[in-house]
Amino acid sequence: MDKEEQDKLEKIVRSSLSPVRLAQRAQIVLMANEGMRNQDIANALGIGRVKVSRWRNRYAQSGLAGIERDLPRGAPPQKVDIKRLVDLTTQHKPAGATHWR
């Protein structure tokens, strides 16, 4: 890590305007840069080792941009075919039941 990148991360950690999550991620990266192990960082910050590993890896892959945003959670949104849905609910009789008309 170069001095400029380290300065940016330190500024994020010190700033009271930084989101807490981003400041914690920057702290993880700075501690790793000092040569600390994941378990030691996790213990110092009171978080899980897996979380430390995740943010170190994202920083290694994408730099500062990798820790600035969360990845989307959950399943991707499903697209509903409205025409097919209306057709299924109004034009076809359910198996083993009568149509509601």
Side-chain angles (χ1 to χ4, degrees), residues 78-92:
Q78 293 183 348
K79 296 186 180 190
V80 177
D81 182 354
I82 301 295
K83 184 179 182 304
R84 183 170 180 265
L85 180 64
V86 169
D87 183 53
L88 285 173
T89 57
T90 61
Q91 304 302 317
H92 298 285

Side-chain angles (χ1 to χ4, degrees), residues 49-89:
R49 183 184 48 79
V50 173
K51 187 175 188 178
V52 172
S53 178
R54 176 186 315 126
W55 292 113
R56 284 184 70 172
N57 288 337
R58 288 195 192 163
Y59 181 80
Q61 291 174 358
S62 305
L64 188 56
I67 64 169
E68 287 181 324
R69 60 182 170 77
D70 290 326
L71 295 178
R73 294 183 181 180
Q78 293 183 348
K79 296 186 180 190
V80 177
D81 182 354
I82 301 295
K83 184 179 182 304
R84 183 170 180 265
L85 180 64
V86 169
D87 183 53
L88 285 173
T89 57

Side-chain angles (χ1 to χ4, degrees), residues 1-2 6 27-36 41 56:
M1 170 185 317
D2 63 9
Q6 185 174 352
Q27 186 66 46
I28 289 168
V29 173
L30 288 169
M31 293 171 89
N33 191 50
E34 293 173 4
M36 292 181 71
I41 296 170
R56 284 184 70 172

